[in-house]
Amino acid sequence: MGIGSNPNLSRQSRRLYIGSITPEVNEQNLAEFFNSKMIEMSIGTGGPGKPVLAVQCNYEKNYAFVEFRSAEDATAAMAFDGIIFINGPLKIRRPKDYGGPEQNSPGIHVPGVVSTNVPDSINKVFVGGLPTYLNEEQVQELLRSFGELKAFNLVRENGNGVSKVLNGMELGDRYLVVQRASVGAKPGMPNLPYDQFPEIPRPIMPAGENSTADARILLMLNMVVPEDLMDDQEYGDIYEDVKDECSKYGVVEDLRIPRPVKKDKMKPPPGELGFQTALDAQRADEAAGVGRVYVKFTRADEAQAGLKALAGRSFAGRSIIATVLNEDSQTTPPLNLIFAPQPAAPPPLPTS
């Protein structure tokens, strides 16, 4: 019996499971979010009326079901898997009793959205030992320091080889465990601690074994946002505040707080073109290290002292994420670009 002749299967093909919803999410704002995003991005059938017909939330288990006007709209909406909504990414999946074609990816990419479905590949990496105070966006910001993210899933809890970039990195009072995830992991396995998955190998070297004897660069994330850095006076105040605070722990040899590119004062074009323009500017800022603070001390022990004092501290209402790097650390953007020589003073403007 095909979907079209079975009302139950037809309805299931129009529904999506939405996981990891936050307590602030409700039927109304979730429906409005999907309706506005699908119309804004021209995703779906584009038929008359709103794409979402109904929403049901289960607040005890933090999930919801969203029913769309058609199976095609439901398939298209899966492109939003991983989109941030009210302080967290939405995990979008087919219902368990979905009886339609096995099509989990709509073949549509929404710019700026990092999928929560992380397929097996040589680029799949497991990160363990994260501090519990970090949320999804903060962990993603940490990982983006080393490259662009395609997919990310943070498992909340009460391939072989160890990554040479993050494994053993000291984050506050903890060390990260980073290794390639299993390429042979079975789909649909429950969210268990990594040490309960026989397919995922344990770290080859103990976390924290890497030497930090020459790590004299303190990297701080979640400390500033691009909006803080636009105004010259505000930027100068932040720069001096950071320098004064870090000088308590050692001699600051260099301090870099990358600034966002100057935005065109003209109103961006409407629709998808304007969205793409804003996204390109955001990616350019991320590629330049905007949102991060780099402090180079004269000695590694000074950087360690700054790390222990500042990691987890509040700055402008945000919890600082911090780690130490040496000058050979592989980061995006590269450290040699961050600390590239700068002119002592900007060149004078032309007089005519």
Side-chain angles (χ1 to χ4, degrees):
M1 182 179 292
I3 291 179
S5 58
N6 187 322
N8 290 330
L9 290 180
S10 177
R11 186 183 183 212
Q12 287 306 89
S13 70
R14 293 187 282 109
R15 301 176 81 210
L16 292 179
Y17 166 88
I18 314 295
S20 302
I21 64 172
T22 59
E24 297 82 5
V25 173
N26 56 48
E27 284 89 351
Q28 181 178 354
N29 60 30
L30 190 58
E32 291 176 350
F33 179 75
F34 273 102
N35 284 331
S36 63
K37 283 295 181 182
M38 292 183 74
I39 293 172
E40 174 190 345
M41 299 297 299
S42 300
I43 289 179
T45 59
K50 297 179 178 179
V52 175
L53 298 181
V55 177
Q56 294 176 314
C57 291
N58 185 319
Y59 297 104
E60 292 183 1
K61 297 184 178 180
N62 301 322
Y63 70 81
F65 280 102
V66 177
E67 183 176 350
F68 295 84
R69 62 188 168 192
S70 69
E72 292 79 11
D73 283 319
T75 297
M78 292 191 69
F80 292 113
D81 173 49
I83 196 168
I84 300 295
F85 178 56
I86 309 185
N87 302 322
L90 297 180
K91 181 182 293 186
I92 303 177
R93 301 287 187 270
R94 296 285 192 186
K96 289 183 179 180
D97 52 354
Y98 170 69
E102 291 297 327
Q103 183 183 4
N104 286 326
S105 174
I108 302 171
H109 173 65
V110 178
V113 173
V114 178
S115 174
T116 67
N117 183 26
V118 188
D120 288 338
S121 78
I122 60 172
N123 297 322
K124 184 176 181 179
V125 174
F126 167 82
V127 182
L130 289 164
T132 56
Y133 60 80
L134 299 184
N135 60 30
E136 283 89 350
E137 291 181 89
Q138 292 170 332
V139 178
Q140 286 192 34
E141 172 65 14
L142 171 66
L143 297 174
R144 283 194 182 99
S145 297
F146 302 91
E148 184 177 354
L149 285 179
K150 181 178 181 181
F152 169 84
N153 185 29
L154 179 63
V155 179
R156 296 188 178 278
E157 301 178 61
N158 292 327
N160 272 335
V162 180
S163 168
K164 295 181 180 179
V165 176
L166 281 171
N167 192 68
M169 173 185 285
E170 189 174 354
L171 196 65
D173 59 350
R174 305 185 67 169
Y175 289 94
L176 296 186
V177 178
V178 180
Q179 57 192 115
R180 291 197 182 276
S182 167
V183 175
K186 300 179 178 63
M189 295 187 71
N191 291 330
L192 297 175
Y194 82 98
D195 56 0
Q196 296 183 30
F197 281 104
E199 292 89 351
I200 299 180
R202 293 178 179 273
I204 292 177
M205 66 177 69
E209 184 174 296
N210 290 356
S211 172
T212 57
D214 57 348
R216 60 191 185 98
I217 298 173
L218 176 63
L219 168 63
M220 291 181 283
L221 311 175
N222 202 43
M223 191 175 190
V224 296
V225 294
E227 292 75 18
D228 297 339
L229 309 173
M230 298 295 292
D231 180 78
D232 291 342
Q233 180 63 49
E234 187 174 3
Y235 176 83
D237 292 342
I238 291 174
Y239 187 97
E240 292 302 323
D241 287 345
V242 173
K243 186 175 182 180
D244 290 345
E245 181 63 28
C246 291
S247 296
K248 297 177 182 178
Y249 313 106
V251 178
V252 175
E253 180 180 305
D254 204 345
L255 168 61
R256 301 296 172 97
I257 307 177
R259 299 185 70 178
V261 296
K262 296 284 187 182
K263 304 297 190 297
D264 192 339
K265 293 183 179 180
M266 295 178 61
K267 184 178 180 181
E272 187 171 350
L273 182 59
F275 177 85
Q276 187 62 46
T277 301
L279 184 64
D280 289 342
Q282 177 185 340
R283 286 177 172 171
D285 287 346
E286 290 178 354
V290 175
R292 300 161 196 157
V293 176
Y294 301 82
V295 185
K296 182 184 291 187
F297 290 90
T298 57
R299 300 198 314 267
D301 61 327
E302 297 171 336
Q304 283 289 334
L307 172 73
K308 296 183 184 303
L310 297 174
R313 282 261 300 272
S314 178
F315 185 87
R318 294 180 292 271
S319 182
I320 298 173
I321 306 170
T323 188
V324 289
L325 307 169
N326 59 48
E327 296 185 73
D328 295 327
S329 295
Q330 303 295 313
T331 68
T332 302
L335 291 175
N336 65 325
L337 293 183
I338 291 295
F339 290 102
Q342 293 181 333
L349 295 174
T351 56
S352 60

